[in-house]
Amino acid sequence: MRGLACFLMLFYLVVTAFWVANSQFLFSVWGLIIWLISILLGFIAYKQIKEKNIVRKLMLYSTSFMVFLLLLTGLIHFAVTSMP
């Protein structure tokens, strides 16, 4: 499970870079689906890691940051589409 957690944290770094660059790969339908699946996998990996170590905390923080970015993306999209 630690391997999955490390892979997801690297994936989250790539997603953050795509988010900052406003990449069309991330904001396509498939990009959003993969992003949501990775968030779900992140919470599952967090629950499966039993020992209290730094990887478990990093998994929680990075997955929570991805949820924050997803919510912020939704708010930005709502604000931009509601403009006249």
Coordinates of all heavy atoms in Angstrom, one line a residue:
M1 N 0.8 -1.2 0.0 CA 0.0 0.0 0.0 C 0.9 1.3 0.0 O 0.4 2.3 -0.5 CB -0.9 0.0 1.2 CG -2.1 0.9 1.1 SD -3.2 0.8 -0.3 CE -3.8 -0.8 -0.3
R2 N 2.1 1.2 0.6 CA 2.9 2.3 0.6 C 3.4 2.7 -0.9 O 3.6 3.9 -1.2 CB 4.2 2.1 1.4 CG 3.9 2.1 2.9 CD 5.1 2.0 3.7 NE 5.9 3.2 3.5 CZ 7.2 3.4 4.0 NH1 7.7 2.4 4.7 NH2 7.8 4.5 3.8
G3 N 3.5 1.7 -1.7 CA 3.9 1.9 -3.1 C 2.8 2.7 -3.8 O 3.1 3.7 -4.6
L4 N 1.6 2.3 -3.6 CA 0.4 3.1 -4.2 C 0.4 4.5 -3.7 O 0.1 5.4 -4.4 CB -0.9 2.3 -3.9 CG -2.2 3.0 -4.4 CD1 -2.2 3.2 -5.9 CD2 -3.4 2.3 -3.8
A5 N 0.6 4.6 -2.4 CA 0.6 6.0 -1.8 C 1.7 6.9 -2.4 O 1.4 8.0 -2.7 CB 0.8 5.9 -0.3
C6 N 2.9 6.3 -2.5 CA 4.0 7.1 -3.1 C 3.6 7.5 -4.6 O 3.9 8.6 -5.0 CB 5.3 6.3 -3.0 SG 5.9 6.2 -1.4
F7 N 3.1 6.5 -5.3 CA 2.7 6.8 -6.7 C 1.6 7.9 -6.8 O 1.7 8.8 -7.6 CB 2.2 5.5 -7.4 CG 1.6 5.8 -8.8 CD1 2.4 6.0 -9.9 CD2 0.2 5.8 -8.9 CE1 1.8 6.3 -11.1 CE2 -0.4 6.0 -10.2 CZ 0.5 6.3 -11.3
L8 N 0.6 7.8 -5.9 CA -0.4 8.8 -5.9 C 0.1 10.2 -5.5 O -0.3 11.2 -6.1 CB -1.5 8.4 -4.9 CG -2.5 7.3 -5.4 CD1 -3.4 6.9 -4.3 CD2 -3.3 7.8 -6.6
M9 N 1.0 10.2 -4.6 CA 1.6 11.5 -4.3 C 2.4 12.1 -5.4 O 2.3 13.4 -5.7 CB 2.5 11.4 -3.0 CG 1.6 11.3 -1.8 SD 2.6 11.4 -0.3 CE 3.1 9.7 -0.1
L10 N 3.1 11.3 -6.2 CA 3.7 11.8 -7.4 C 2.7 12.2 -8.5 O 2.9 13.3 -9.1 CB 4.7 10.8 -8.0 CG 5.9 10.5 -7.2 CD1 6.7 9.3 -7.8 CD2 6.8 11.7 -7.2
F11 N 1.6 11.5 -8.6 CA 0.6 11.8 -9.5 C -0.1 13.1 -9.1 O -0.4 13.9 -10.0 CB -0.5 10.7 -9.5 CG -1.6 10.9 -10.5 CD1 -1.4 10.8 -11.9 CD2 -2.8 11.3 -10.0 CE1 -2.4 11.0 -12.7 CE2 -3.9 11.6 -10.9 CZ -3.7 11.4 -12.3
Y12 N -0.3 13.3 -7.8 CA -0.8 14.6 -7.3 C 0.1 15.8 -7.7 O -0.4 16.9 -7.9 CB -1.1 14.5 -5.8 CG -2.2 13.6 -5.4 CD1 -2.3 13.1 -4.1 CD2 -3.2 13.2 -6.3 CE1 -3.3 12.3 -3.7 CE2 -4.2 12.3 -5.9 CZ -4.2 11.9 -4.6 OH -5.2 11.1 -4.2
L13 N 1.4 15.6 -7.6 CA 2.3 16.7 -8.1 C 2.1 17.0 -9.5 O 2.1 18.2 -9.9 CB 3.7 16.3 -7.8 CG 4.2 16.3 -6.3 CD1 5.6 15.7 -6.2 CD2 4.1 17.7 -5.8
V14 N 1.9 16.0 -10.4 CA 1.6 16.2 -11.8 C 0.3 16.9 -12.0 O 0.2 17.9 -12.8 CB 1.7 14.9 -12.6 CG1 1.2 15.1 -14.0 CG2 3.1 14.3 -12.5
V15 N -0.7 16.5 -11.2 CA -2.0 17.2 -11.3 C -1.9 18.6 -10.9 O -2.5 19.5 -11.6 CB -3.1 16.4 -10.5 CG1 -4.3 17.2 -10.3 CG2 -3.4 15.1 -11.1
T16 N -1.2 18.9 -9.9 CA -1.0 20.3 -9.4 C -0.3 21.1 -10.5 O -0.7 22.3 -10.7 CB -0.2 20.3 -8.1 OG1 -0.9 19.5 -7.1 CG2 -0.1 21.7 -7.6
A17 N 0.7 20.5 -11.1 CA 1.4 21.3 -12.2 C 0.5 21.5 -13.4 O 0.5 22.6 -13.9 CB 2.6 20.5 -12.7
F18 N -0.3 20.5 -13.7 CA -1.3 20.7 -14.8 C -2.4 21.8 -14.4 O -2.8 22.5 -15.2 CB -2.0 19.4 -15.1 CG -1.3 18.5 -16.0 CD1 -1.7 17.2 -16.2 CD2 -0.1 18.9 -16.7 CE1 -1.0 16.3 -17.0 CE2 0.6 18.1 -17.5 CZ 0.1 16.8 -17.7
W19 N -2.7 21.8 -13.1 CA -3.7 22.8 -12.7 C -3.2 24.2 -12.8 O -3.9 25.1 -13.2 CB -4.1 22.4 -11.2 CG -5.3 23.2 -10.8 CD1 -6.6 22.8 -10.9 CD2 -5.4 24.4 -10.1 NE1 -7.5 23.8 -10.4 CE2 -6.7 24.8 -9.8 CE3 -4.4 25.3 -9.6 CZ2 -7.1 25.9 -9.2 CZ3 -4.8 26.5 -8.9 CH2 -6.1 26.8 -8.7
V20 N -2.0 24.4 -12.3 CA -1.3 25.7 -12.4 C -1.2 26.1 -13.9 O -1.4 27.3 -14.2 CB 0.0 25.7 -11.7 CG1 0.8 26.9 -11.9 CG2 -0.2 25.5 -10.2
A21 N -0.8 25.2 -14.7 CA -0.6 25.5 -16.1 C -1.9 25.6 -16.9 O -1.9 25.9 -18.1 CB 0.3 24.4 -16.8
N22 N -3.1 25.3 -16.3 CA -4.4 25.4 -16.9 C -4.4 24.4 -18.1 O -4.8 24.8 -19.2 CB -4.8 26.8 -17.3 CG -6.2 26.9 -17.5 OD1 -7.0 26.1 -17.2 ND2 -6.6 28.0 -18.2
S23 N -3.9 23.2 -17.9 CA -3.8 22.3 -19.0 C -5.2 21.7 -19.4 O -6.0 21.4 -18.6 CB -2.9 21.1 -18.6 OG -2.9 20.1 -19.6
Q24 N -5.4 21.6 -20.7 CA -6.6 21.0 -21.2 C -6.7 19.5 -20.9 O -7.8 18.9 -20.9 CB -6.8 21.3 -22.7 CG -7.0 22.7 -23.0 CD -8.2 23.3 -22.3 OE1 -9.3 22.6 -22.3 NE2 -8.1 24.5 -21.7
F25 N -5.6 18.8 -20.7 CA -5.6 17.4 -20.4 C -6.3 17.2 -19.1 O -7.1 16.3 -18.9 CB -4.2 16.9 -20.3 CG -3.4 16.8 -21.6 CD1 -2.2 17.6 -21.7 CD2 -3.9 16.1 -22.6 CE1 -1.6 17.5 -22.9 CE2 -3.2 16.1 -23.8 CZ -2.0 16.8 -24.0
L26 N -6.1 18.1 -18.1 CA -6.7 17.9 -16.8 C -8.2 18.3 -16.8 O -9.0 17.7 -16.1 CB -5.9 18.8 -15.7 CG -6.4 18.7 -14.3 CD1 -6.2 17.3 -13.8 CD2 -5.7 19.7 -13.4
F27 N -8.5 19.3 -17.6 CA -9.9 19.8 -17.5 C -10.8 19.2 -18.6 O -11.9 19.6 -18.8 CB -9.9 21.3 -17.6 CG -9.2 21.9 -16.5 CD1 -8.0 22.6 -16.6 CD2 -9.7 21.8 -15.2 CE1 -7.3 23.2 -15.6 CE2 -9.0 22.3 -14.1 CZ -7.8 23.0 -14.3
S28 N -10.3 18.1 -19.3 CA -11.2 17.3 -20.2 C -12.0 16.4 -19.3 O -11.8 16.2 -18.1 CB -10.4 16.6 -21.2 OG -9.6 15.6 -20.5
V29 N -13.0 15.7 -20.0 CA -13.9 14.8 -19.2 C -13.0 13.7 -18.7 O -13.2 13.3 -17.5 CB -15.0 14.3 -20.2 CG1 -15.8 13.2 -19.5 CG2 -15.9 15.4 -20.6
W30 N -12.1 13.1 -19.5 CA -11.3 12.0 -19.0 C -10.3 12.4 -17.9 O -10.1 11.7 -17.0 CB -10.6 11.3 -20.2 CG -11.5 10.5 -21.0 CD1 -11.9 10.8 -22.2 CD2 -12.1 9.2 -20.6 NE1 -12.8 9.8 -22.7 CE2 -12.9 8.8 -21.7 CE3 -12.0 8.4 -19.5 CZ2 -13.6 7.6 -21.7 CZ3 -12.7 7.2 -19.5 CH2 -13.5 6.9 -20.5
G31 N -9.8 13.6 -18.0 CA -8.9 14.1 -17.0 C -9.6 14.3 -15.7 O -9.1 13.9 -14.6
L32 N -10.8 14.8 -15.7 CA -11.6 14.9 -14.5 C -12.0 13.6 -13.9 O -11.9 13.4 -12.6 CB -12.8 15.8 -14.7 CG -12.6 17.3 -14.9 CD1 -13.9 18.0 -15.3 CD2 -12.0 17.9 -13.7
I33 N -12.3 12.6 -14.7 CA -12.6 11.3 -14.2 C -11.4 10.6 -13.6 O -11.5 10.1 -12.5 CB -13.2 10.4 -15.4 CG1 -14.6 10.9 -15.8 CG2 -13.2 8.9 -15.0 CD1 -15.1 10.2 -17.0
I34 N -10.3 10.7 -14.2 CA -9.0 10.2 -13.6 C -8.7 10.9 -12.3 O -8.2 10.3 -11.4 CB -7.9 10.2 -14.7 CG1 -8.2 9.3 -15.8 CG2 -6.5 9.9 -14.0 CD1 -7.3 9.4 -17.0
W35 N -8.9 12.2 -12.3 CA -8.6 13.0 -11.1 C -9.5 12.5 -9.9 O -9.0 12.3 -8.8 CB -8.9 14.5 -11.4 CG -8.3 15.5 -10.5 CD1 -7.5 15.2 -9.4 CD2 -8.6 16.9 -10.5 NE1 -7.3 16.4 -8.8 CE2 -7.9 17.4 -9.4 CE3 -9.3 17.7 -11.4 CZ2 -7.9 18.8 -9.2 CZ3 -9.3 19.1 -11.1 CH2 -8.6 19.6 -10.0
L36 N -10.8 12.3 -10.2 CA -11.7 11.9 -9.2 C -11.4 10.5 -8.7 O -11.4 10.2 -7.5 CB -13.1 11.9 -9.7 CG -13.8 13.3 -9.8 CD1 -15.1 13.2 -10.5 CD2 -14.0 13.9 -8.4
I37 N -11.0 9.6 -9.6 CA -10.6 8.2 -9.2 C -9.3 8.2 -8.4 O -9.3 7.5 -7.4 CB -10.4 7.3 -10.5 CG1 -11.8 7.1 -11.1 CG2 -9.7 6.0 -10.1 CD1 -11.7 6.4 -12.5
S38 N -8.4 9.1 -8.7 CA -7.2 9.2 -7.9 C -7.5 9.7 -6.5 O -6.8 9.3 -5.5 CB -6.1 10.1 -8.6 OG -6.5 11.4 -8.5
I39 N -8.4 10.6 -6.4 CA -8.8 11.1 -5.0 C -9.4 10.0 -4.2 O -9.1 9.8 -3.0 CB -9.8 12.3 -5.2 CG1 -9.0 13.5 -5.7 CG2 -10.4 12.6 -3.8 CD1 -9.9 14.7 -6.0
L40 N -10.3 9.2 -4.9 CA -10.9 8.0 -4.2 C -9.8 7.0 -3.7 O -9.9 6.5 -2.6 CB -12.0 7.4 -5.0 CG -13.2 8.2 -5.2 CD1 -14.2 7.5 -6.2 CD2 -14.0 8.4 -3.9
L41 N -8.9 6.7 -4.7 CA -7.8 5.8 -4.3 C -6.9 6.4 -3.2 O -6.4 5.6 -2.4 CB -6.9 5.6 -5.6 CG -7.5 4.6 -6.6 CD1 -6.6 4.6 -7.8 CD2 -7.7 3.2 -6.0
G42 N -6.8 7.7 -3.1 CA -6.0 8.3 -2.1 C -6.6 8.1 -0.7 O -5.9 7.8 0.3
F43 N -8.0 8.3 -0.6 CA -8.6 8.0 0.6 C -8.6 6.6 1.0 O -8.5 6.2 2.2 CB -10.1 8.6 0.6 CG -10.1 10.1 0.8 CD1 -10.7 10.9 -0.1 CD2 -9.6 10.7 2.0 CE1 -10.8 12.3 0.1 CE2 -9.7 12.0 2.2 CZ -10.2 12.8 1.2
I44 N -8.7 5.7 0.0 CA -8.7 4.3 0.3 C -7.3 3.9 0.8 O -7.1 3.1 1.8 CB -9.1 3.4 -0.9 CG1 -10.6 3.6 -1.2 CG2 -8.7 2.0 -0.8 CD1 -11.0 3.1 -2.6
A45 N -6.2 4.4 0.2 CA -4.9 4.1 0.6 C -4.6 4.7 2.0 O -4.0 4.0 2.8 CB -3.9 4.7 -0.4
Y46 N -5.2 5.8 2.3 CA -5.0 6.4 3.6 C -5.7 5.5 4.7 O -5.1 5.2 5.8 CB -5.7 7.8 3.7 CG -5.8 8.3 5.1 CD1 -4.6 8.8 5.8 CD2 -7.0 8.4 5.8 CE1 -4.7 9.3 7.1 CE2 -7.1 8.9 7.1 CZ -5.9 9.3 7.7 OH -6.0 9.8 9.0
K47 N -6.8 5.0 4.4 CA -7.5 4.1 5.3 C -6.8 2.7 5.5 O -6.8 2.1 6.6 CB -9.0 3.8 4.9 CG -9.9 5.0 5.0 CD -10.1 5.3 6.4 CE -11.1 6.5 6.5 NZ -11.4 6.8 7.9
Q48 N -6.1 2.3 4.4 CA -5.5 0.9 4.5 C -4.1 1.0 5.2 O -3.7 -0.1 5.6 CB -5.3 0.4 3.0 CG -6.6 0.1 2.4 CD -7.4 -1.1 3.0 OE1 -6.8 -2.0 3.5 NE2 -8.7 -0.9 3.1
I49 N -3.5 2.1 5.2 CA -2.2 2.2 5.9 C -2.5 2.3 7.4 O -3.0 3.2 7.9 CB -1.4 3.4 5.4 CG1 -1.1 3.4 3.9 CG2 -0.1 3.6 6.2 CD1 -0.5 4.6 3.3
K50 N -2.1 1.2 8.1 CA -2.4 1.1 9.5 C -1.4 1.8 10.4 O -1.8 2.4 11.4 CB -2.5 -0.4 9.9 CG -3.6 -1.1 9.1 CD -5.0 -0.6 9.5 CE -6.0 -1.4 8.7 NZ -7.3 -0.8 8.7
E51 N -0.1 1.7 10.1 CA 0.9 2.2 11.0 C 0.9 3.8 10.9 O 0.6 4.4 9.9 CB 2.3 1.7 10.7 CG 2.8 2.0 9.4 CD 2.4 1.0 8.3 OE1 1.8 0.0 8.6 OE2 2.8 1.2 7.2
K52 N 1.2 4.4 12.0 CA 1.2 5.8 12.1 C 2.6 6.3 11.6 O 3.5 6.3 12.4 CB 1.0 6.3 13.5 CG -0.3 5.9 14.1 CD -1.4 6.7 13.7 CE -2.7 6.3 14.4 NZ -3.9 6.7 13.8
N53 N 2.7 6.7 10.4 CA 4.0 7.2 9.9 C 3.8 8.4 9.0 O 2.6 8.8 8.8 CB 4.7 6.1 9.2 CG 4.0 5.5 8.0 OD1 2.9 6.0 7.6 ND2 4.5 4.4 7.4
I54 N 4.8 8.9 8.5 CA 4.8 10.1 7.7 C 4.1 9.9 6.4 O 3.4 10.8 5.9 CB 6.2 10.7 7.5 CG1 6.1 12.1 6.9 CG2 7.0 9.8 6.6 CD1 5.7 13.2 7.9
V55 N 4.1 8.7 5.8 CA 3.5 8.4 4.5 C 2.0 8.6 4.7 O 1.3 9.1 3.8 CB 3.9 7.1 4.0 CG1 3.1 6.7 2.7 CG2 5.4 7.0 3.7
R56 N 1.4 8.1 5.8 CA 0.0 8.2 6.0 C -0.5 9.6 6.2 O -1.5 10.0 5.6 CB -0.4 7.4 7.3 CG -1.8 7.3 7.6 CD -2.1 6.3 8.7 NE -3.5 5.9 8.7 CZ -4.4 6.3 9.6 NH1 -4.0 7.1 10.6 NH2 -5.6 5.9 9.5
K57 N 0.3 10.4 6.9 CA -0.1 11.9 7.0 C 0.1 12.6 5.7 O -0.8 13.4 5.3 CB 0.8 12.5 8.0 CG 0.5 12.2 9.4 CD 1.4 12.9 10.4 CE 1.1 12.5 11.8 NZ 1.9 13.2 12.8
L58 N 1.1 12.3 4.9 CA 1.3 12.9 3.6 C 0.2 12.5 2.7 O -0.3 13.3 1.9 CB 2.6 12.6 3.0 CG 3.9 13.3 3.6 CD1 5.1 12.7 3.0 CD2 3.8 14.8 3.3
M59 N -0.3 11.3 2.7 CA -1.4 10.8 1.9 C -2.6 11.6 2.2 O -3.4 12.0 1.3 CB -1.6 9.3 2.1 CG -2.4 8.6 1.1 SD -1.5 8.5 -0.4 CE -2.5 9.5 -1.5
L60 N -2.9 11.8 3.5 CA -4.1 12.5 3.9 C -4.0 14.0 3.4 O -5.0 14.5 2.9 CB -4.3 12.5 5.4 CG -5.5 13.3 6.0 CD1 -6.8 12.8 5.5 CD2 -5.4 13.4 7.5
Y61 N -2.9 14.6 3.6 CA -2.7 16.0 3.3 C -2.8 16.2 1.8 O -3.4 17.2 1.3 CB -1.4 16.6 3.8 CG -1.3 16.6 5.3 CD1 -0.1 16.5 6.0 CD2 -2.5 16.7 6.1 CE1 0.0 16.6 7.4 CE2 -2.4 16.7 7.5 CZ -1.2 16.6 8.1 OH -1.1 16.7 9.5
S62 N -2.1 15.4 1.0 CA -2.1 15.5 -0.4 C -3.5 15.2 -1.0 O -3.9 15.9 -2.0 CB -1.0 14.7 -1.1 OG -1.2 13.3 -0.8
T63 N -4.2 14.2 -0.5 CA -5.5 13.9 -1.0 C -6.5 15.1 -0.7 O -7.3 15.5 -1.5 CB -6.0 12.6 -0.5 OG1 -5.1 11.6 -0.8 CG2 -7.4 12.2 -1.1
S64 N -6.4 15.6 0.5 CA -7.2 16.7 0.9 C -6.9 18.0 0.0 O -7.8 18.7 -0.3 CB -7.0 17.1 2.4 OG -7.3 16.0 3.2
F65 N -5.7 18.2 -0.3 CA -5.3 19.3 -1.2 C -5.9 19.1 -2.6 O -6.4 20.0 -3.2 CB -3.8 19.4 -1.3 CG -3.4 20.6 -2.2 CD1 -3.6 21.9 -1.8 CD2 -2.7 20.4 -3.4 CE1 -3.2 22.9 -2.5 CE2 -2.4 21.4 -4.2 CZ -2.6 22.7 -3.7
M66 N -6.0 17.8 -3.1 CA -6.6 17.6 -4.3 C -8.1 17.8 -4.3 O -8.7 18.4 -5.2 CB -6.4 16.1 -4.8 CG -5.0 15.8 -5.2 SD -4.6 16.7 -6.7 CE -3.4 17.8 -6.1
V67 N -8.8 17.5 -3.2 CA -10.2 17.9 -3.0 C -10.4 19.4 -3.0 O -11.3 19.9 -3.6 CB -10.7 17.2 -1.7 CG1 -12.2 17.7 -1.4 CG2 -10.7 15.7 -1.8
F68 N -9.5 20.1 -2.3 CA -9.5 21.6 -2.3 C -9.4 22.1 -3.7 O -10.1 23.0 -4.1 CB -8.4 22.1 -1.4 CG -8.2 23.6 -1.6 CD1 -9.1 24.5 -1.0 CD2 -7.1 24.1 -2.2 CE1 -9.0 25.8 -1.2 CE2 -6.9 25.5 -2.4 CZ -7.8 26.3 -1.8
L69 N -8.4 21.6 -4.5 CA -8.3 22.1 -5.9 C -9.5 21.8 -6.7 O -9.9 22.6 -7.6 CB -7.0 21.4 -6.5 CG -5.7 22.0 -6.2 CD1 -4.6 21.3 -7.0 CD2 -5.6 23.5 -6.4
L70 N -10.1 20.6 -6.5 CA -11.3 20.2 -7.3 C -12.4 21.2 -7.0 O -13.1 21.6 -7.9 CB -11.7 18.8 -7.0 CG -12.7 18.2 -7.9 CD1 -12.2 18.1 -9.3 CD2 -13.1 16.8 -7.4
L71 N -12.6 21.5 -5.7 CA -13.7 22.4 -5.3 C -13.4 23.8 -5.8 O -14.3 24.5 -6.3 CB -13.8 22.5 -3.8 CG -14.4 21.2 -3.1 CD1 -14.3 21.3 -1.6 CD2 -15.8 21.0 -3.6
L72 N -12.1 24.3 -5.7 CA -11.8 25.6 -6.3 C -12.0 25.6 -7.8 O -12.5 26.7 -8.3 CB -10.3 25.9 -5.9 CG -9.8 27.2 -6.2 CD1 -10.6 28.3 -5.5 CD2 -8.3 27.3 -5.9
T73 N -11.7 24.6 -8.5 CA -11.9 24.5 -9.9 C -13.4 24.6 -10.2 O -13.8 25.4 -11.1 CB -11.4 23.2 -10.5 OG1 -10.0 23.1 -10.2 CG2 -11.7 23.1 -12.0
G74 N -14.3 24.0 -9.4 CA -15.7 24.1 -9.6 C -16.2 25.5 -9.4 O -17.0 26.0 -10.1
L75 N -15.7 26.1 -8.3 CA -16.1 27.5 -8.0 C -15.6 28.5 -9.1 O -16.4 29.4 -9.5 CB -15.5 27.9 -6.7 CG -16.1 27.3 -5.5 CD1 -15.3 27.7 -4.2 CD2 -17.6 27.7 -5.3
I76 N -14.4 28.3 -9.6 CA -13.9 29.1 -10.7 C -14.8 28.9 -12.0 O -15.2 29.9 -12.6 CB -12.5 28.9 -11.0 CG1 -11.6 29.4 -9.8 CG2 -12.0 29.5 -12.3 CD1 -10.1 28.9 -9.9
H77 N -15.1 27.7 -12.3 CA -15.9 27.4 -13.5 C -17.3 28.0 -13.3 O -17.9 28.6 -14.2 CB -16.0 25.9 -13.7 CG -16.9 25.5 -14.8 ND1 -16.5 25.7 -16.1 CD2 -18.2 24.9 -14.8 CE1 -17.5 25.3 -16.9 NE2 -18.5 24.8 -16.2
F78 N -17.9 27.9 -12.1 CA -19.2 28.5 -11.9 C -19.2 30.0 -12.0 O -20.1 30.6 -12.6 CB -19.7 28.1 -10.5 CG -21.0 28.7 -10.1 CD1 -22.2 28.3 -10.7 CD2 -21.1 29.7 -9.2 CE1 -23.4 28.9 -10.4 CE2 -22.3 30.3 -8.9 CZ -23.5 29.9 -9.5
A79 N -18.1 30.6 -11.5 CA -18.0 32.1 -11.5 C -17.8 32.6 -13.0 O -18.4 33.6 -13.4 CB -16.8 32.6 -10.7
V80 N -17.0 31.9 -13.7 CA -16.7 32.3 -15.1 C -18.0 32.1 -16.0 O -18.3 32.9 -16.9 CB -15.5 31.5 -15.7 CG1 -15.3 31.7 -17.2 CG2 -14.3 32.0 -14.9
T81 N -18.7 31.0 -15.8 CA -19.8 30.7 -16.7 C -21.0 31.6 -16.3 O -21.9 31.7 -17.1 CB -20.2 29.2 -16.6 OG1 -20.5 28.9 -15.3 CG2 -19.2 28.3 -17.2
S82 N -21.1 32.1 -15.1 CA -22.2 33.0 -14.7 C -22.0 34.4 -15.1 O -22.9 35.2 -14.9 CB -22.5 32.9 -13.2 OG -21.4 33.4 -12.5
M83 N -20.8 34.8 -15.6 CA -20.6 36.1 -16.1 C -21.3 36.4 -17.4 O -21.4 35.6 -18.2 CB -19.1 36.4 -16.3 CG -18.3 36.4 -15.0 SD -16.5 36.6 -15.5 CE -15.8 36.6 -13.9
P84 N -21.8 37.6 -17.5 CA -22.5 38.0 -18.7 C -21.6 38.1 -19.9 O -20.5 38.3 -19.9 CB -23.2 39.3 -18.4 CG -22.6 39.8 -17.2 CD -21.9 38.7 -16.5

